[in-house]
Amino acid sequence: MADLYASIIIDISHENVDRVFQYRIPENLLGQVRIGTQVCVPFGSGNRLRKGYVVEITDHADYEVTKIKAIDSIPERGVTADSKLIELAWWMKERYGSTMNQALKTVLPVKRKVKARNKNVVQSVTGIPIAESLNQKGSVGLEGSSPDDLGIQSESENQNGGEGAQKSPGTVVLNEDQQDAVDIFQAYYDEGERKPFLLYGVTGSGKTEVYMEMIDYVLRSGRQVIVLIPEISLTYQTVMRFYRRFGDRVCVMHSRLSEGERFDQFERARRGETDIMIGARSALFTPFANLGLIVMDEEQEGAYKSEVTPRYHAREVAEHLARMHDAMFVMGSATPSVEAYEKARVGIYRLLELPHRAVAKTLAVTEVVDLRQEMADGNRSIFSRRLQQLIEDRLEKNEQIMLFMNRRGYSNFVSCRSCGEAVKCPHCDVSLTLHHHSRLVCHYCGYTIAMPKTCPTCGSSYLAGFGVGTQKIEEMAGKMFPKARILRMDLDTTSKKGGHEKILSAFSKHQADILIGTQMIVKGHDFPDVTLVGILAADVSLYAPDYRSAERTFQLLVQASGRAGRAEKPGIAVIQTYMPDHYTIQTASRQDYGEFFRQEMRFRRLMHYPPACHMLSIQTAGKEEELLARIMDSIAMAVQKHFGDQTIVIGPVPAPVYKVNDIYRKILYMKQQNYDILIKIQKYVQTRWDETDSCRRLTIQYDFS
């Protein structure tokens, strides 16, 4: 039998995690050494025994065989939290077409030096203290967090002290639907049945209370929990709901932590100082030794898909990680992704439903306004006559209004009325966006210029902004409703630390009547005085160059409508559209997910889009446009030749934005019923790519869906 060799990382906490050393696997350890196993190896000139982790096993020796040392032994605890993560990295490498180094750097916490930090004081955004100084363990897990990110003031900014918040006594009284969901979960958990759950509940149905009961049950069995929340929903309010229930067992991970601070949070979990990790996508890689449950809230969110290699989806990784730990995986959404709901429909997931709101008796009434008729009747305002009437009514009643537009900026683009050319970014294949009447900004590379006085193409002075953004809506609302107090919430107004919380706090304290914003205002916020939601241009995202555009539009419309009437006062949502008969608009207005799913799946099956089949996209990018075209054509022909009889090959085509920051991008699409064949295609292309010198002048990304 040929010798086997293991590639081993000696110290995974060091920032240079891509440095591996090869060792021979001795005969007495064959069968015991696998990916992720912790081993003891002789290291350095003195051959001192050091612990390391196996990241690859091969029968190929990278060096002269006589110079390769052998693994000494496997320590008693050969399988650790870290070994599980390394095993997960290997799975991600195989599934998503990355290198092992890329996968390792994704899943392993990296140790870097960070500056000393102030101890934080948890204080409510209303100014009433709700917790004393964080204890040495870092209550709420905010030790090292940016205080402003979650509405928390540093001790140097607030010296008032205050009474500490206590964990809520007893358990929440659940309604019948919620209790049924919890009972089913507990029964299957006790039986050792680990099929994932999809918790489908209408907006306001109380999914978070169900999560917390499930979490409490798992914690009492001595195991740990990961709670995934989209970054956009990772707010102070959300964190405090968990903190009030579970106290200092909670730890938080979010994007504004430095790498060193993230490492500190992971170390707390490794040492057993916390039982619950709450965070966005990267919280999935918490090194818990005895993971029992992964909760994924708002599972439909696009933020769960990584934009860098490996381009993993947190839902798929969480499902595999739960299987590795014999843990339960629970996803929740008011508008589940088509992929997740299809898996529930065919029995891969187990479906739990919350069909009613927990507090309000009914969902908001939704009205659809045809903007074509408004135009025909002479109304050229962004506000339909019906919406104007309802806004006036709510202002008189001292109730609140949310106006949603899925676009920031003053207008969509600036173009010349003489020659018709839009003012574009010189580095990217996109139009510039007008901000504050005075500057044009590229939302891809950040290129900025002052608003030109004449057309850069023909010299005409007839330049004008087209389209409507949140800034323009704010200005128009101010003129139409001069007595209304208006707040705007988009990327521009929330770019500074604490921006989200300051705006949300002011609105929650009724310091404003109207909140205008992009999709960040419709994600999970609960304002009892909001009785009217206006969706100003429902079609904006409907025809985006993405097969998921109808799905994402439906989700946004339902989420936005769900902000109205969440307490005792009834709510109304107004959807303004130029396509009132489109099935997405119609089903969203009725909040009829089942009918939307049926119609959307007909489209997916007809066009061979996921989840009706699997798809691999290969995107290459480079500064040399001719080289890019030649290489991509070569790859397409090779794939067509070797796999064309089994696979639909489309392209190569320019990316939706062909040029970004002077880098050209092309995409090749492959559709296939069998996922394993797409894996073979990816490995085939990667092998050919590695053998071609000219390819090194380009970058390549693989994306599976």
Side-chain angles (χ1 to χ4, degrees):
M1 180 179 176
D3 285 338
L4 291 179
Y5 303 92
S7 297
I8 295 171
I9 292 178
I10 301 300
D11 182 3
I12 64 168
S13 69
H14 192 273
E15 64 181 87
N16 189 19
V17 295
D18 57 351
R19 182 71 171 98
V20 297
F21 300 87
Q22 193 174 64
Y23 287 82
R24 181 174 55 82
I25 304 175
E27 191 172 340
N28 65 310
L29 296 181
L30 290 174
Q32 299 180 54
V33 175
R34 59 185 178 86
I35 303 297
T37 302
Q38 189 181 47
V39 294
C40 293
V41 295
F43 187 77
S45 57
N47 284 331
R48 182 165 64 92
L49 288 183
R50 294 278 299 275
K51 288 181 180 177
Y53 288 87
V54 177
V55 298
E56 186 177 23
I57 295 175
T58 180
D59 59 1
H60 173 73
D62 291 339
Y63 311 97
E64 188 180 328
V65 173
T66 57
K67 294 183 179 179
I68 298 178
K69 301 174 185 178
I71 295 173
D72 180 82
S73 58
I74 298 176
E76 235 176 83
R77 291 180 66 253
V79 177
T80 67
D82 290 319
S83 68
K84 291 281 189 183
L85 288 175
I86 292 171
E87 188 177 346
L88 179 66
W90 179 267
W91 178 85
M92 291 172 66
K93 162 194 175 291
E94 291 293 299
R95 182 171 181 84
Y96 299 110
S98 73
T99 66
M100 187 59 176
N101 291 340
Q102 289 169 327
L104 284 171
K105 288 180 178 180
T106 299
V107 307
L108 294 178
V110 176
K111 186 175 185 178
R112 297 184 192 273
K113 294 180 180 180
V114 294
K115 294 179 180 178
R117 301 177 301 272
N118 290 337
K119 183 169 64 174
N120 294 326
V121 174
V122 181
Q123 178 171 334
S124 74
V125 290
T126 60
I128 302 172
I130 57 176
E132 293 182 0
S133 300
L134 301 179
N135 59 27
Q136 290 180 353
K137 286 185 179 180
S139 298
V140 202
L142 295 171
E143 178 185 19
S145 299
S146 172
D148 288 335
D149 292 344
L150 298 172
I152 299 164
Q153 296 180 345
S154 72
E155 194 169 46
S156 60
E157 294 170 331
N158 174 58
Q159 303 291 344
N160 294 329
E163 297 178 4
Q166 300 297 320
K167 176 181 168 183
S168 298
T171 55
V172 177
V173 177
L174 303 179
N175 63 31
E176 186 177 349
D177 292 334
Q178 292 170 321
Q179 191 61 57
D180 285 346
V182 171
D183 290 344
I184 292 170
F185 168 85
Q186 292 178 355
Y188 282 111
Y189 188 85
D190 289 343
E191 291 173 9
E193 168 60 58
R194 296 295 185 256
K195 182 184 288 188
F197 282 102
L198 174 61
L199 179 63
Y200 166 43
V202 299
T203 55
S205 59
K207 291 184 289 295
T208 302
E209 284 74 19
V210 173
Y211 297 151
M212 289 198 285
E213 287 299 306
M214 294 174 172
I215 291 168
D216 188 66
Y217 194 76
V218 171
L219 290 178
R220 282 188 271 126
S221 71
R223 304 185 73 179
Q224 295 103 28
V225 178
I226 294 172
V227 180
L228 299 179
I229 299 174
E231 185 77 34
I232 198 169
S233 303
L234 190 57
T235 64
Y236 177 90
Q237 290 177 327
T238 304
V239 173
M240 289 311 298
R241 290 182 71 179
F242 284 92
Y243 174 62
R244 291 189 184 102
R245 179 70 183 268
F246 300 109
D248 64 3
R249 305 170 85 171
V250 176
C251 198
V252 179
M253 184 72 59
H254 59 90
S255 65
R256 294 194 181 183
L257 290 178
S258 70
E259 289 181 319
E261 289 165 340
R262 287 156 57 88
F263 180 82
D264 290 345
Q265 299 291 62
F266 281 135
E267 282 300 293
R268 290 192 60 217
R270 193 194 312 278
R271 293 192 299 264
E273 295 174 3
T274 182
D275 300 310
I276 305 172
M277 178 65 81
I278 301 175
R281 197 173 59 225
S282 62
L284 195 55
F285 308 118
T286 303
F288 279 137
N290 194 15
L291 182 64
L293 172 65
I294 302 173
V295 173
M296 185 178 187
D297 191 30
E298 305 289 356
E299 69 79 28
Q300 83 285 350
E301 280 292 332
Y304 284 126
K305 178 67 180 284
S306 171
E307 294 300 317
V308 296
T309 304
R311 300 190 67 167
Y312 69 93
H313 197 294
R315 181 180 61 243
E316 297 171 345
V317 176
E319 186 177 351
H320 185 77
L321 182 63
R323 194 156 47 241
M324 288 171 57
H325 283 266
D326 190 33
M328 196 70 91
F329 177 36
V330 177
M331 297 153 279
S333 177
T335 53
S337 65
V338 172
E339 287 83 356
Y341 197 81
E342 173 67 2
K343 284 189 173 184
R345 189 188 68 81
V346 300
I348 298 172
Y349 296 161
R350 186 171 280 111
L351 185 65
L352 297 173
E353 295 189 73
L354 301 176
H356 307 108
R357 280 192 160 179
V359 179
K361 293 182 180 179
T362 58
L363 295 167
V365 174
T366 304
E367 301 179 12
V368 177
V369 174
D370 187 346
L371 291 178
R372 298 171 301 181
Q373 189 61 48
E374 291 291 311
M375 182 69 74
D377 292 342
N379 179 21
R380 286 172 169 74
S381 167
I382 187 65
F383 303 106
S384 64
R385 291 163 297 176
R386 175 58 173 158
L387 184 56
Q388 291 176 38
Q389 174 192 353
L390 289 170
I391 291 174
E392 292 283 10
D393 176 72
R394 288 338 190 243
L395 291 174
E396 287 179 13
K397 293 177 178 176
N398 198 32
E399 295 173 357
Q400 290 180 296
I401 302 116
M402 296 175 75
L403 300 177
F404 166 61
M405 169 64 100
N406 194 22
R407 178 190 293 141
R408 75 181 195 274
Y410 190 85
S411 64
N412 190 24
F413 62 94
V414 170
S415 71
C416 176
R417 293 188 175 185
S418 295
C419 70
E421 288 292 320
V423 182
K424 289 191 171 184
C425 174
H427 309 290
C428 306
D429 192 24
V430 294
S431 301
L432 297 175
T433 300
L434 179 62
H435 285 252
H436 301 294
H437 297 286
S438 60
R439 61 191 176 95
L440 295 174
V441 180
C442 175
H443 286 169
Y444 284 84
C445 74
Y447 174 81
T448 304
I449 59 171
M451 174 69 176
K453 298 186 183 301
T454 58
C455 173
T457 302
C458 73
S460 168
S461 60
Y462 294 103
L463 285 175
F466 290 82
V468 180
T470 48
Q471 292 176 15
K472 181 71 171 178
I473 293 167
E474 181 182 26
E475 179 186 293
M476 295 170 70
K479 291 179 180 177
M480 187 168 287
F481 312 105
K483 294 182 181 179
R485 298 166 299 168
I486 301 173
L487 283 171
R488 175 166 58 89
M489 186 173 179
D490 55 24
L491 196 60
D492 296 322
T493 62
T494 59
S495 57
K496 293 182 180 179
K497 287 185 177 181
H500 293 84
E501 288 304 325
K502 287 176 183 176
I503 295 170
L504 293 174
S505 172
F507 194 61
S508 68
K509 289 186 286 186
H510 224 303
Q511 293 173 359
D513 306 301
I514 301 175
L515 176 61
I516 297 170
T518 53
Q519 58 180 293
M520 62 178 67
I521 72 170
V522 303
K523 304 290 185 177
H525 302 302
D526 199 338
F527 301 107
D529 286 336
V530 171
T531 58
L532 173 63
V533 171
I535 300 161
L536 301 180
D539 313 321
V540 166
S541 57
L542 193 55
Y543 293 111
D546 187 332
Y547 70 88
R548 298 183 183 91
S549 60
E551 176 184 6
R552 287 173 176 165
T553 300
F554 175 86
Q555 291 164 347
L556 279 172
L557 297 183
V558 171
Q559 292 282 352
S561 301
R563 298 312 105 198
R566 294 179 70 88
E568 295 302 322
K569 300 173 185 175
I572 295 179
V574 176
I575 299 176
Q576 299 186 163
T577 175
Y578 289 98
M579 298 288 291
D581 298 324
H582 194 284
Y583 70 90
T584 301
I585 306 297
Q586 286 294 312
T587 54
S589 69
R590 301 191 301 268
Q591 299 214 16
D592 187 349
Y593 180 84
E595 181 58 26
F596 168 77
F597 174 82
R598 284 186 285 275
Q599 296 210 43
E600 180 67 9
M601 278 303 296
R602 291 192 198 111
F603 163 70
R604 303 280 180 100
R605 292 189 188 100
L606 178 66
M607 302 303 295
H608 302 285
Y609 283 127
C613 76
H614 301 288
M615 188 163 72
L616 165 65
S617 63
I618 300 176
Q619 178 173 294
T620 57
K623 291 187 175 182
E624 302 172 63
E625 189 175 13
E626 291 183 9
L627 174 64
L628 175 67
R630 189 170 71 251
I631 293 295
M632 283 299 276
D633 288 342
S634 173
I635 291 174
M637 287 189 290
V639 170
Q640 189 72 53
K641 177 180 178 181
H642 292 277
F643 302 95
D645 57 334
Q646 314 166 61
T647 307
I648 299 172
V649 181
I650 303 170
V653 295
V657 180
Y658 180 44
K659 185 174 71 168
V660 174
N661 210 9
D662 294 322
I663 301 294
Y664 298 94
R665 307 185 298 176
K666 280 199 167 187
I667 304 178
L668 182 66
Y669 297 97
M670 285 134 287
K671 299 177 182 178
Q672 172 57 249
Q673 292 287 339
N674 188 331
Y675 190 93
D676 291 336
I677 292 178
L678 292 182
I679 291 285
K680 289 180 181 177
I681 292 174
Q682 183 270 323
K683 291 185 181 301
Y684 169 77
V685 172
Q686 191 172 42
T687 301
R688 285 179 58 92
W689 187 272
D690 291 341
E691 292 173 351
T692 309
D693 291 336
S694 57
C695 289
R696 292 170 188 165
R697 305 207 299 271
L698 306 173
T699 59
I700 187 167
Q701 273 193 327
Y702 305 98
D703 192 3
F704 292 88
S705 53

